[in-house]
Amino acid sequence: SKEFQTFSNKILEISHPANFEAEFPAPKGEITFSMELKGYRADCTIRIDAFPAKGLTAEKVFEQNSKFYKKTAQGQTTIDGAKALYLDYVPTKGIESRVYFLVKNNTVYRVIANYYQPLKKDFAPVFQKTVASLKVH
């Protein structure tokens, strides 16, 4: 959808395509909050997890977590005024993903955007706009 709506709670605020639904999977391990935005395709999602940073910087969190992804590219951006590091990877054939790591208020926010590769031109710009709208509380 070209129209966006805003989701907000005590953890975060994010604008997302109006035809995407928010789901809240049960947090596992050290994760304190999980949210997944899903549309009509199960392989095109945005997931946000929050967990304690334990005093670590975004760079250190990125370094510790990078080994869990088969990186094809990496970069840096700003989300909610804070540095966010990201890497691109291919979790399975036909799917591309980008994972962002942001540390704010001693909390790590991991944002994973997945999309079906043949629809990248449709999904990637919208997902980047969604991630850029993220505000953490």
Side-chain angles (χ1 to χ4, degrees):
S1 174
K2 292 181 191 233
E3 293 181 28
F4 274 61
Q5 64 187 33
T6 300
F7 170 84
S8 183
N9 69 5
K10 65 180 180 140
I11 309 288
L12 59 82
E13 179 178 307
I14 191 165
S15 294
H16 61 85
N19 62 339
F20 272 58
E21 297 293 324
E23 296 179 0
F24 301 92
K28 296 178 180 171
E30 292 189 339
I31 295 173
T32 57
F33 174 80
S34 288
M35 174 183 190
E36 189 165 56
L37 297 168
K38 253 185 216 187
Y40 70 98
R41 292 191 61 99
D43 56 4
C44 297
T45 62
I46 295 177
R47 178 164 181 135
I48 304 167
D49 294 312
F51 52 94
K54 301 179 181 175
L56 299 177
T57 63
E59 291 84 1
K60 190 65 176 169
V61 170
F62 182 80
E63 177 187 316
Q64 288 179 351
N65 285 275
S66 293
K67 63 187 173 216
F68 301 117
Y69 305 91
K70 293 180 182 173
K71 171 176 64 171
T72 60
Q74 71 180 55
Q76 178 179 309
T77 190
T78 302
I79 299 173
D80 194 16
K83 182 192 305 186
L85 301 165
Y86 66 85
L87 60 86
D88 295 334
Y89 65 103
V90 178
T92 190
K93 185 179 169 135
I95 305 297
E96 290 187 24
S97 298
R98 176 173 281 181
V99 59
Y100 299 83
F101 293 95
L102 159 73
V103 175
K104 197 162 184 184
N105 303 325
N106 202 31
T107 299
V108 176
Y109 296 89
R110 176 180 58 202
V111 181
I112 302 172
N114 303 299
Y115 47 84
Y116 181 53
Q117 198 282 325
L119 296 176
K120 180 177 183 174
K121 68 177 178 47
D122 297 323
F123 280 90
V126 173
F127 281 7
Q128 289 171 0
K129 181 179 176 181
T130 298
V131 171
S133 77
L134 178 64
K135 305 261 186 284
V136 297
H137 303 296

